[in-house]
Amino acid sequence: MEDSIKMPRHVAVIMDGNGRWAKKNGVSRLTGHNQGMLAMKEIIKKADMMGIKYLTVYAFSTENWKRSQEEVGGIFNLLVKFVGSELAELDANNVKVHILGEYREKVPEAAIASIEKAIKTTADNDGLQFNIALNYGSRAEITKAVKTLCRKVEEGELKASEVTEDMVSRQLYTGDENGNIPDPDLIIRTSGEERLSNFLLWQAAYSEFAFTDTLWPDFTPEEFESLIEEFSTRGRRFGGR
Ligand code: IPE
Ligand code: IPE
Ligand code: MG
């Protein structure tokens, strides 16, 4: 990749299509999720190599609890497996692990313990920030922010008329207290679906989108790079001219 290419600072990925990949290949949905995890490992390495500062992946939504207990349990087991096998290497590569979402709620104990270990181990790293959106829902995130601001108003700390966009932003999972993550420059969704599914609704106000028919387990670092190259040719105006 040439130096002149404008790199996105923050790339977010909706990793979709594990189930369809499994069906296509005649294997269980969980095997599909496992293949998806392998694809994710490669994308983390690639993003790091490319010098991207923030990589966010949508791993589990607040709506994904609707799936069977077997599938949900399997997904969280995979997370434990991922942390177990990858944490040392992530840490050695100076990657900082961060979670977006209510990962302490409803999530199995073993997965919470793994997550907390990953966060703690990598807390002082300042390379790629790898954000895992887990038990994440944008509406829940915004509702939580509204509640916090309402409480401040109730307590007389703030007037309703003084509430700014910046104050709302700061209360989100991506806000101040959570590392102040810039809005995603590019949001990629695989598997041919073209929707946000409750992902980063506020933060995506001026994001660019890239959709590919590739099912997530088949998504390669080469395709990731080519979507970023295509992104770098786009003109972004942010409402200006
Ligand atoms: C994405 O793949 C992974 C998660 C939502 C956890 P899906 O499981 O949604 O795969 P499809 O959409 O059924 O193919
Ligand atoms: C979005 O995918 C959530 C994740 C990738 C974790 P879904 O497969 O859950 O979304 P819908 O149901 O197709 O909108
Ligand atoms: Mg899906």
Side-chain angles (χ1 to χ4, degrees):
M1 191 176 271
E2 294 162 37
D3 288 345
S4 58
I5 280 177
K6 219 173 95 231
M7 289 290 293
R9 233 187 347 157
H10 182 180
V11 179
V13 186
I14 303 174
M15 309 183 291
D16 198 12
N18 294 351
R20 277 161 285 166
W21 183 93
K23 195 164 186 190
K24 201 176 112 188
N25 289 279
V27 295
S28 69
R29 286 185 68 87
L30 266 181
T31 303
H33 291 310
N34 190 60
Q35 271 320 112
M37 186 184 72
L38 298 178
M40 184 181 81
K41 283 187 195 173
E42 297 306 311
I43 299 307
I44 302 169
K45 283 188 202 140
K46 184 70 179 178
D48 192 17
M49 266 169 51
M50 290 175 80
I52 289 164
K53 183 66 192 140
Y54 301 89
L55 175 70
T56 301
V57 297
Y58 203 3
F60 194 89
S61 75
T62 48
E63 287 71 48
N64 288 147
W65 296 108
K66 291 176 191 161
R67 299 186 182 197
S68 74
Q69 259 192 20
E70 188 198 357
E71 182 172 355
V72 169
I75 290 171
F76 287 109
N77 285 341
L78 275 175
L79 180 78
V80 173
K81 187 171 144 190
F82 168 77
V83 172
S85 71
E86 299 305 298
L87 182 56
E89 191 180 336
L90 291 172
D91 188 34
N93 290 333
N94 200 22
V95 174
K96 185 188 179 100
V97 177
H98 185 75
I99 306 290
L100 307 178
E102 298 300 328
Y103 70 87
R104 289 188 190 89
E105 279 172 25
K106 296 212 275 196
V107 173
E109 280 301 326
I112 298 175
S114 285
I115 291 163
E116 293 189 330
K117 186 176 173 200
I119 295 171
K120 210 172 149 203
T121 306
T122 64
D124 296 328
N125 292 348
D126 60 3
L128 171 74
Q129 180 166 327
F130 178 52
N131 303 309
I132 308 173
L134 196 76
N135 194 12
Y136 175 90
S138 215
R139 288 184 170 179
E141 177 183 36
I142 295 168
T143 304
K144 190 178 176 185
V146 169
K147 277 186 187 156
T148 305
L149 292 174
C150 286
R151 210 171 301 120
K152 286 183 193 282
V153 171
E154 269 176 7
E155 287 165 4
E157 226 181 282
L158 183 70
K159 285 190 179 134
S161 60
E162 290 167 355
V163 174
T164 63
E165 290 183 7
D166 198 46
M167 283 179 201
V168 177
S169 285
R170 277 177 3 220
Q171 296 302 331
L172 302 176
Y173 299 132
T174 46
D176 258 12
E177 284 168 34
N178 306 304
N180 214 2
I181 301 164
D183 289 343
D185 300 295
L186 173 65
I187 298 179
I188 295 171
R189 183 167 188 154
T190 58
S191 85
E193 307 299 343
E194 301 189 352
R195 57 178 170 264
L196 277 172
S197 303
N198 204 10
F199 190 48
L200 303 176
L201 302 182
W202 173 281
Q203 297 88 337
Y206 272 102
S207 299
E208 297 291 327
F209 290 88
F211 298 107
T212 169
D213 287 339
T214 305
L215 300 172
W216 177 253
D218 289 331
F219 190 72
T220 60
E222 290 70 35
E223 184 168 10
F224 182 73
E225 183 167 25
S226 86
L227 293 178
I228 286 170
E229 277 175 20
E230 192 275 327
F231 159 87
S232 71
T233 64
R234 299 185 190 184
R236 300 175 78 192
R237 287 187 289 279
F238 300 97
R241 54 182 298 228

